[in-house]
Amino acid sequence: AVQDCRERPYLLEISHADSESMEILGRFQSCSCASLAFGDPLIPSASGMINPDMLLESHSILDESFWRLEFDDTFAERSAGTFRAGIKEPTAKWMVISKTLLAVLHMMLSLFFGFIIAVASPCTILRTTLKRSSMSEVQLRKGDSSPEGPVPKLSWTFSQDLKCRYPEEIYDGLISIPWRRIIAHAHHRPVGRNLHVFLIGKRAEQHPEEHRMSRQCIERLAEILGPLGPK
């Protein structure tokens, strides 16, 4: 991980606007990124979509199982808009009341954890900085020197939803080329087994219905992205 590197982080090197990796990516007719809006335990949407300013509306755990795709303005008109599949809105009164209560609870928890992050993050950053400073002093006393040169000072910041902390230098390098962004929404009531594998359809880590929706979503993505390739 970038924050754990004592030398020049590999991700920083390959994401630099002038790096060979970005130059190769820039040769493609188009570059696309697709990621889940919610539910992925490993990849926050801001990271998967390379868009720290994106704020999305979540769903309730009581909603019927569904998936849908949304596209940003970078997509051609044939792909623009929203494609939905398998969405069924519950109509029972108790469901509506339950969804309202859960929405209120979700909002309160979001505010609480947002407050915790806002308070804890500066403390974590300070502790990490002090730890790295002390480690650097030990290395200097030992006469160690990095063959790659001094470690660059990174400008760490948070995404708008406070779910992703990232160096601005890496983000600036990634957006040096244009990206097409696809936002995938997926929900298996009440919870899926592992939404991290939803966009690759890994049957072994999915419920049967979850896998069926996953396959449908992947097939739709292939239909959309296929025509964008070279003729």
Side-chain angles (χ1 to χ4, degrees):
V2 176
Q3 65 268 23
D4 298 326
C5 291
R6 300 182 185 178
E7 300 178 356
R8 293 182 65 85
Y10 176 66
L11 290 179
L12 178 64
E13 294 288 344
I14 64 175
S15 63
H16 193 277
D18 297 328
S19 68
E20 180 182 7
S21 300
M22 296 305 296
E23 191 273 331
I24 293 174
L25 279 177
R27 297 178 190 174
F28 285 87
Q29 179 181 348
S30 62
C31 294
S32 304
C33 54
S35 183
L36 284 180
F38 300 98
D40 192 320
L42 299 179
I43 304 177
S45 57
S47 176
M49 304 305 304
I50 318 179
N51 185 355
D53 299 323
M54 182 171 54
L55 292 174
L56 302 170
E57 184 178 354
S58 183
H59 53 266
S60 167
I61 62 173
L62 294 180
D63 284 344
E64 293 282 348
S65 299
F66 73 90
W67 67 269
R68 72 174 183 269
L69 299 176
E70 295 183 9
F71 310 91
D72 66 6
D73 297 334
T74 60
F75 266 87
E77 52 275 2
R78 70 168 176 271
S79 302
T82 300
F83 176 83
R84 298 167 178 263
I87 298 179
K88 296 181 181 178
E89 294 295 336
T91 56
K93 186 175 181 180
W94 72 270
M95 291 286 283
V96 175
I97 297 175
S98 299
K99 286 183 63 177
T100 302
L101 293 175
L102 283 173
V104 173
L105 178 61
H106 179 268
M107 181 180 66
M108 294 176 63
L109 289 175
S110 298
L111 292 173
F112 173 74
F113 285 112
F115 174 77
I116 295 297
I117 292 174
V119 172
S121 294
C123 299
T124 302
I125 295 172
L126 178 61
R127 184 185 64 180
T128 303
T129 302
L130 293 175
K131 181 179 179 181
R132 289 176 181 170
S133 298
S134 62
M135 291 175 62
S136 299
E137 292 175 359
V138 171
Q139 290 179 347
L140 288 173
R141 285 197 297 268
K142 291 181 178 179
D144 294 339
S145 61
S146 171
E148 300 294 334
V151 179
K153 184 177 180 180
L154 301 179
S155 303
W156 291 88
T157 186
F158 283 93
S159 59
Q160 288 290 326
D161 59 9
L162 300 178
K163 295 179 180 179
C164 180
R165 180 173 174 262
Y166 64 95
E168 292 182 348
E169 292 81 0
I170 291 182
Y171 172 70
D172 292 340
L174 290 175
I175 63 172
S176 64
I177 62 175
W179 292 91
R180 299 175 183 269
R181 294 175 173 84
I182 306 175
I183 308 168
H185 297 259
H187 171 60
H188 182 277
R189 190 171 69 175
V191 292
R193 285 187 62 187
N194 185 5
L195 285 178
H196 179 62
V197 301
F198 186 83
L199 292 178
I200 62 174
K202 191 174 181 180
R203 183 195 297 268
E205 298 184 24
Q206 295 175 317
H207 298 298
E209 176 66 14
E210 184 180 4
H211 180 68
R212 184 185 68 82
M213 295 192 302
S214 175
R215 289 290 300 269
Q216 290 177 348
C217 182
I218 294 170
E219 290 171 1
R220 177 58 176 163
L221 283 172
E223 293 174 359
I224 294 170
L225 298 177
L228 297 179
K231 304 297 182 182

